[in-house]
Amino acid sequence: MKAIAIDLGSSFVKYAIFELENGMILNQKKITSIPKRNAQDRLVFEIPVMGIVKQVKEILAQETQKYDDIGAMIFSTQMHGFVYRTEGEQEPVYVSWQDMRCLHQRKTGETYLEYLQGLFSKEDMKECGVYIKPSLGLCNLFTMLDENPARPRNGTLYTLGSFVIEQLTGNNICHITNAAPLGLADVTRHCWSEKIIKRAGFDEIKFPKIAESDFSSCGVYEVNGSKLQVFPDYGDQQIAVLGSMSAAGEGLINIATAGQVSVIAEEFQAGDFENRPYFEKLYLRTISNMPSGRGLDVLVRFAADTVERLTNKQMGIGEFWKILEKQFEPDTKGIQVDMSFYETPWKLDGGEIRGIKPGNLNLNTLFSAAFRDMAETYKKNLDILSQNTPLKAVVCSGGVSWKRPELIRVIQTVMGCPCRLSALDDEAVAGLYRMALCCSGLYKSLADQGEQVLKIQNME
């Protein structure tokens, strides 16, 4: 039995063909994600969504020509973003999680984010598991409609995944892990929140159906004579956590383009964190907007630009890291870096470098301080999630974790407990494989799988 797994990420679309019974990857590739549309407004981040659909269809057509017995498509997507489509609209866009138009000012002088924070208190949002923040679909959809009063308010709302699902099967269905990041779902009751939707003025909008279970089919897509069962769009964070093979009592740090810290919990409990739905009625206590790969890229781009301006030679990102690794020692010499280069709900004016004295600022101290700030931020927030209960260990996932061993060493020092990488270097593929085992009926639950995911072998 074969399944195709696709991960629709911010930087890349990755896919793999699984031979499910024996844990084989028959084919595995990645392609560059569709770039955002050019926009004069730096807070707007829109992607032509039909381009994403085209990529998915091309992958399915290509792979079903090679393998005529693929029976299922399992996929995950980046979260928080949405597609809002009105009747007759030919070129809909995916409003990414990186879109922050809600930081625009209203006529009253306050930002949309500030207005919505007043309209929806933490108590109001408790059942949603998330709170008002710049990347939330609720905030940017509200801003989009308020800034364009002529745009109809009776359109159809999609998650990125449910839009793809509708294009394949005709059914606008999404998984709860992608419904919740919109800020419009009641995660405790597994449904849309009528209270929040009404107060936001979204009463006439048509919403996706939320999948009844983690492993229920959304419909069939026929291509090259194959009939693929299409399963719900799983949140990329939840899939990465699943693929990390973390255990109870462990903290989770996901360091990719974006970053989050999480712990798995059996019960919904309000606190200074998000309660994101996980699989099989569990929750992921999560704090997002953590320092991540895109923050490190700010420093790398500065270094590479300096080299080019001084020597007229270009330096690639990979080349830069190789040079840094050869001489890296975790010594800040008093340098401090605040990695808040991208806007967060609690800091909108950027990061900074402090403690500069004669002779202490160089690449080594700069990146040592950056890693230290990242590690201390992770620890501070994991303490909140665990309610100061000592963690048995910390599991690091995401591409940056696997590429930056020097960062992992700093994290372990700061955390004061064992720190390990996830079970496989591609948590998305591992997590999607685990989901495919249940969607195909080979296992009834994720808990039954044991170490099955570790048997994955790449045959190409």
Side-chain angles (χ1 to χ4, degrees):
M1 186 180 300
K2 295 183 180 65
I4 184 166
I6 302 176
D7 175 47
L8 300 177
S10 305
S11 303
F12 296 100
V13 174
K14 298 182 289 187
Y15 66 94
I17 307 298
F18 298 134
E19 183 74 70
L20 294 176
E21 293 90 344
N22 56 19
M24 298 289 186
I25 298 179
L26 304 178
N27 189 14
Q28 184 175 8
K29 293 183 179 179
K30 69 178 181 180
I31 55 178
T32 303
S33 299
I34 299 294
K36 73 172 185 175
R37 297 199 309 185
N38 290 329
Q40 293 182 341
D41 186 343
R42 68 181 181 85
L43 296 175
V44 171
F45 201 110
E46 297 178 339
I47 300 170
V49 71
M50 292 307 296
I52 298 174
V53 173
K54 181 181 178 183
Q55 283 185 319
V56 171
K57 287 186 174 180
E58 287 176 348
I59 290 169
L60 296 178
Q62 176 181 303
E63 297 306 316
T64 52
Q65 279 187 332
K66 294 180 183 177
Y67 309 98
D68 58 7
D69 55 347
I70 298 176
M73 170 186 155
I74 318 291
F75 76 121
S76 59
T77 76
Q78 52 194 285
M79 302 185 294
H80 290 92
F82 64 89
V83 178
Y84 179 70
R85 190 175 197 178
T86 55
E87 187 175 352
E89 188 174 0
Q90 298 301 311
E91 297 183 4
V93 295
Y94 166 59
V95 179
S96 164
W97 60 272
Q98 298 181 76
D99 190 287
M100 293 191 180
R101 69 187 70 198
C102 62
L103 298 179
H104 289 168
Q105 281 193 329
R106 304 179 75 229
K107 294 178 181 178
T108 57
E110 63 185 341
T111 66
Y112 279 96
L113 182 69
E114 291 168 336
Y115 172 75
L116 291 167
Q117 285 172 333
L119 187 62
F120 297 102
S121 68
K122 282 198 170 185
E123 183 63 27
D124 294 327
M125 297 295 294
K126 182 171 70 173
E127 67 187 22
C128 302
V130 295
Y131 304 111
I132 298 299
K133 61 180 181 179
S135 60
L136 207 64
L138 184 164
C139 300
N140 294 311
L141 177 60
F142 184 95
T143 304
M144 173 190 286
L145 295 177
D146 194 71
E147 290 183 329
N148 299 277
R151 187 161 194 186
R153 294 172 177 257
N154 61 350
T156 301
L157 186 68
Y158 303 86
T159 63
L160 172 59
S162 80
F163 189 88
V164 172
I165 289 170
E166 187 182 75
Q167 293 295 308
L168 297 178
T169 70
N171 302 317
N172 183 11
I173 299 175
C174 71
H175 192 261
I176 187 65
T177 53
N178 263 307
L182 293 175
L184 298 166
D186 183 334
V187 300
T188 63
R189 297 180 177 84
H190 202 88
C191 64
W192 296 109
S193 173
E194 294 183 8
K195 177 185 73 175
I196 300 297
I197 289 170
K198 183 175 182 180
R199 190 178 299 181
F202 299 161
D203 312 56
E204 297 181 32
I205 293 175
K206 295 178 281 294
F207 282 76
K209 177 183 176 182
I210 296 178
E212 295 178 1
S213 76
D214 293 334
F215 315 126
S216 58
S217 172
C218 299
V220 176
Y221 177 61
E222 296 190 28
V223 56
N224 291 331
S226 297
K227 294 183 177 181
L228 305 182
Q229 292 290 334
V230 178
F231 290 89
D233 54 329
Y234 305 116
D236 57 357
Q237 184 205 4
Q238 287 86 344
I239 286 294
V241 170
L242 183 65
S244 73
M245 299 294 287
S246 59
E250 294 182 329
L252 296 144
I253 304 174
N254 182 49
I255 318 173
T257 304
Q260 311 91 19
V261 292
S262 305
V263 297
I264 298 173
E266 294 182 0
E267 297 180 355
F268 182 99
Q269 181 177 340
D272 293 328
F273 47 79
E274 297 180 4
N275 278 283
R276 297 185 177 185
Y278 190 51
F279 305 117
E280 298 185 330
K281 300 181 179 179
L282 296 174
Y283 294 94
L284 269 183
R285 292 180 188 166
T286 298
I287 299 177
S288 54
N289 292 297
M290 292 291 98
S292 60
R294 62 177 183 162
L296 288 173
D297 285 346
V298 171
L299 299 179
V300 174
R301 285 196 297 269
F302 163 73
D305 179 70
T306 301
V307 170
E308 184 173 357
R309 289 175 183 272
L310 293 176
T311 68
N312 202 31
K313 295 180 181 179
Q314 292 187 340
M315 174 180 284
I317 292 177
E319 183 182 1
F320 169 83
W321 283 115
K322 285 181 181 178
I323 294 172
L324 183 71
E325 287 170 5
K326 289 179 181 178
Q327 57 85 58
F328 180 78
E329 294 180 4
D331 186 354
T332 67
K333 296 188 184 298
I335 295 293
Q336 299 173 35
V337 175
D338 177 348
M339 291 288 286
S340 304
F341 302 137
Y342 288 85
E343 292 95 340
T344 68
W346 51 85
K347 198 169 192 302
L348 303 175
D349 57 351
E352 55 187 310
I353 303 171
R354 302 186 298 276
I356 301 175
K357 298 178 181 179
N360 75 340
L361 179 61
N362 56 53
L363 279 181
N364 190 70
T365 58
L366 177 63
F367 278 84
S368 291
F371 292 157
R372 185 83 188 184
D373 181 72
M374 293 173 76
E376 290 177 347
T377 302
Y378 300 147
K379 183 181 188 311
K380 173 185 174 182
N381 287 280
L382 279 172
D383 286 345
I384 293 171
L385 295 178
S386 67
Q387 299 176 333
N388 291 314
T389 300
L391 295 168
K392 297 176 183 177
V394 171
V395 181
C396 293
S397 65
V400 176
S401 294
W402 281 86
K403 293 175 182 176
R404 302 274 69 81
E406 58 275 16
L407 171 59
I408 303 305
R409 289 195 293 270
V410 175
I411 291 173
Q412 177 163 297
T413 298
V414 170
M415 289 298 305
C417 67
C419 180
R420 63 177 173 84
L421 293 172
S422 50
L424 297 174
D425 63 357
D426 194 329
E427 300 86 5
V429 169
L432 287 167
Y433 174 65
R434 295 192 66 187
M435 294 303 294
L437 291 173
C438 288
C439 290
S440 66
L442 291 175
Y443 288 86
K444 291 184 178 180
S445 76
L446 297 167
D448 293 340
Q449 294 175 6
E451 298 296 307
Q452 175 70 17
V453 70
L454 299 180
K455 297 179 181 178
I456 291 182
Q457 302 176 55
N458 197 330
M459 295 301 292
E460 205 175 62

